[in-house]
């Protein structure tokens, strides 16, 4: 995966995480909070991979 592809994944994960967090705040939906956690996991994995490549 190229850095550009990783950037697209980060964009998607960030957008999904923002949407899920807004849903959690407005509805206190535990599933939405789980989606935020999953998005954070994706972002952390991408940052780790970028660091390894640097």
């Amino acid at each position: 995966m190229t850095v550009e592809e990783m950037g697209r994944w980060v964009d998607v994960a960030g957008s999904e995480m923002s949407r899920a967090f807004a849903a959690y705040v407005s509805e206190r939906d535990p599933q939405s909070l789980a989606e935020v956690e999953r998005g954070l996991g994706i972002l952390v994995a991408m940052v780790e991979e970028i660091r390894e490549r640097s």
Side-chain angles (χ1 to χ4, degrees):
M1 180 179 297
T2 67
V3 172
E4 291 79 17
E5 290 169 325
M6 284 188 272
R8 285 192 290 276
W9 274 99
V10 168
D11 285 344
V12 169
S15 295
E16 288 296 311
M17 198 171 51
S18 293
R19 180 202 55 75
F21 187 72
Y24 173 72
V25 168
S26 67
E27 302 167 18
R28 297 289 185 223
D29 174 27
Q31 180 61 33
S32 296
L33 191 56
E35 290 178 31
V36 171
E37 186 176 25
R38 183 178 63 81
L40 285 171
I42 291 169
L43 292 174
V44 168
M46 289 295 150
V47 168
E48 289 173 351
E49 185 160 339
I50 290 168
R51 280 190 179 143
E52 289 174 4
R53 291 178 179 214
S54 297

